[in-house]
């Protein structure tokens, strides 16, 4: 029986996929976990790499999206195929160690109220500029949405299926992290944060955090979504 389903969207991550699966095998000691790797409309060899490597790992499954429709869309597509009682997601670039996901599962397993907990990483060891950028965005979102929202895009995120089923119109882009965190606050779930080390990527570059222009675009999208979210809440 599957207890945990973890979605990993893969966009142009062909070079990271073999190492990612190998690392999961190193830390995976339980049989009640499925890892759903979603080829999120990649333009590199991610699809072929997943076809080659995923069958070698009994805990892994491969899902395909032909055309990229956003980071959030890839995660939501994976969640819609998940079988676990508890769901979550993390990244494919190994900047979040799969062991951190196992730690999140242990937090839930040891919780007296596992259905009412939202577990989320809290990134450490990041460049100063990225810390300042994240801190500024967190402060704005906390004040604007009137909820304590810190290190919004940290991974992993793990929670009970009932929380996922309560969502309405979640976003298809990077705002999904904000949406899930905010909804957890609104639902008065217990928010459990734990430190995760955030090293450099092994291969390639981030699909969004690759320069000032990308950060500006990210800010605009986040502000647009925050405005939409606040309007919906006012209805």
């Amino acid at each position: 029986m599957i207890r945990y389903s973890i979605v990993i969207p893969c966009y142009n991550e062909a070079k990271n996929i073999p190492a990612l699966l190998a690392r999961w095998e190193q830390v995976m000691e339980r049989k009640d976990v499925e890892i759903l790797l979603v080829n999120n409309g990649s333009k590199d060899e991610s699809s072929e790499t997943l076809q080659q490597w995923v069958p070698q790992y009994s805990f892994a499954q491969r899902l395909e999206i032909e055309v990229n429709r956003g980071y959030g869309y890839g995660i939501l597509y994976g969640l819609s195929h998940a079988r676990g009682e508890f769901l979550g997601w993390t990244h494919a670039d190994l900047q979040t160690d799969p062991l951190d996901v196992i730690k999140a599962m242990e937090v839930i397993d040891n919780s007296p109220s596992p259905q009412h907990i939202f577990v989320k990483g809290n990134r450490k060891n990041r460049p100063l500029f990225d810390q300042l950028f994240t801190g500024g965005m967190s402060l704005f979102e906390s004040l604007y949405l009137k909820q304590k929202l810190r290190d919004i895009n940290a991974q992993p995120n793990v929670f009970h299926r009932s929380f996922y089923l309560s969502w309405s119109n979640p976003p298809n882009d990077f705002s999904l992290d904000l949406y899930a965190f905010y909804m957890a606050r609104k639902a008065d779930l217990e928010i459990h944060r734990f430190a995760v080390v955030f090293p450099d990527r092994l291969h390639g570059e981030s699909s969004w955090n690759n320069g000032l222009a990308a950060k500006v675009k990210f800010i605009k999208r986040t502000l647009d979504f925050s405005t939409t979210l606040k309007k919906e809440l006012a209805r």
Side-chain angles (χ1 to χ4, degrees):
M1 181 176 178
I2 300 299
R3 180 169 172 81
Y4 291 96
S5 297
I6 304 299
V7 176
I8 304 179
C10 302
Y11 181 69
N12 296 342
E13 297 287 0
K15 293 182 178 179
N16 286 315
I17 289 168
L20 174 66
L21 286 165
R23 179 57 180 157
W24 271 105
E25 185 176 47
Q26 288 178 346
V27 303
M28 185 73 77
E29 296 181 352
R30 49 196 302 167
K31 304 295 184 182
D32 59 349
V33 179
E34 64 175 0
I35 307 300
L36 305 172
L37 294 104
V38 182
N39 176 36
N40 199 13
S42 297
K43 297 179 181 179
D44 67 353
E45 295 77 33
S46 291
S47 180
E48 293 81 1
T49 304
L50 287 169
Q51 290 181 48
Q52 177 184 351
W53 288 89
V54 165
Q56 302 179 39
Y57 299 89
S58 60
F59 56 80
Q61 293 190 46
R62 173 178 62 89
L63 297 173
E64 290 281 338
I65 297 174
E66 290 188 6
V67 178
N68 183 274
R69 294 173 60 182
Y71 161 83
Y73 183 87
I75 292 171
L76 293 168
Y77 186 80
L79 293 176
S80 72
H81 288 75
R83 297 177 291 164
E85 178 183 3
F86 295 91
L87 312 176
W89 68 81
T90 188
H91 290 169
D93 54 18
L94 284 172
Q95 287 187 290
T96 300
D97 192 333
L99 182 60
D100 292 329
V101 183
I102 302 299
K103 292 177 181 177
M105 295 175 187
E106 292 171 351
V107 170
I108 290 175
D109 288 341
N110 294 322
S111 171
S113 302
Q115 293 188 9
H116 303 288
I117 190 171
F118 182 89
V119 184
K120 186 173 182 64
N122 182 25
R123 294 173 289 185
K124 305 297 182 182
N125 194 36
R126 302 180 70 209
L128 179 60
F129 179 77
D130 285 349
Q131 292 181 51
L132 294 173
F133 175 79
T134 296
M137 290 297 295
S138 297
L139 178 61
F140 168 79
E141 295 296 349
S142 297
L143 293 174
Y144 187 68
L145 295 174
K146 299 180 180 176
Q147 294 289 339
K148 185 178 179 181
L149 302 168
R150 176 170 51 87
D151 199 5
I152 295 165
N153 296 102
Q155 307 299 323
N157 300 275
V158 187
F159 43 84
H160 192 263
R161 175 180 287 273
S162 59
F163 173 57
Y164 160 67
L165 294 176
S166 72
W167 295 356
S168 176
N169 299 319
N172 287 337
D173 62 10
F174 280 100
S175 301
L176 182 63
D177 286 316
L178 169 61
Y179 176 86
F181 195 7
Y182 175 80
M183 294 300 290
R185 287 288 190 196
K186 288 291 289 182
D188 202 25
L189 299 185
E190 176 191 348
I191 309 295
H192 183 99
R193 306 297 299 267
F194 67 102
V196 298
V197 177
F198 197 72
D200 294 334
R201 287 175 60 98
L202 292 178
H203 302 285
E205 64 178 18
S206 170
S207 58
W208 76 270
N209 188 13
N210 52 16
L212 182 59
K215 281 185 168 60
V216 171
K217 184 177 180 181
F218 175 79
I219 291 172
K220 184 180 184 305
R221 288 186 305 190
T222 302
L223 295 182
D224 288 345
F225 175 72
S226 299
T227 302
T228 300
L229 183 59
K230 193 167 185 177
K231 286 180 179 178
E232 289 182 352
L233 292 171
R235 293 175 182 174

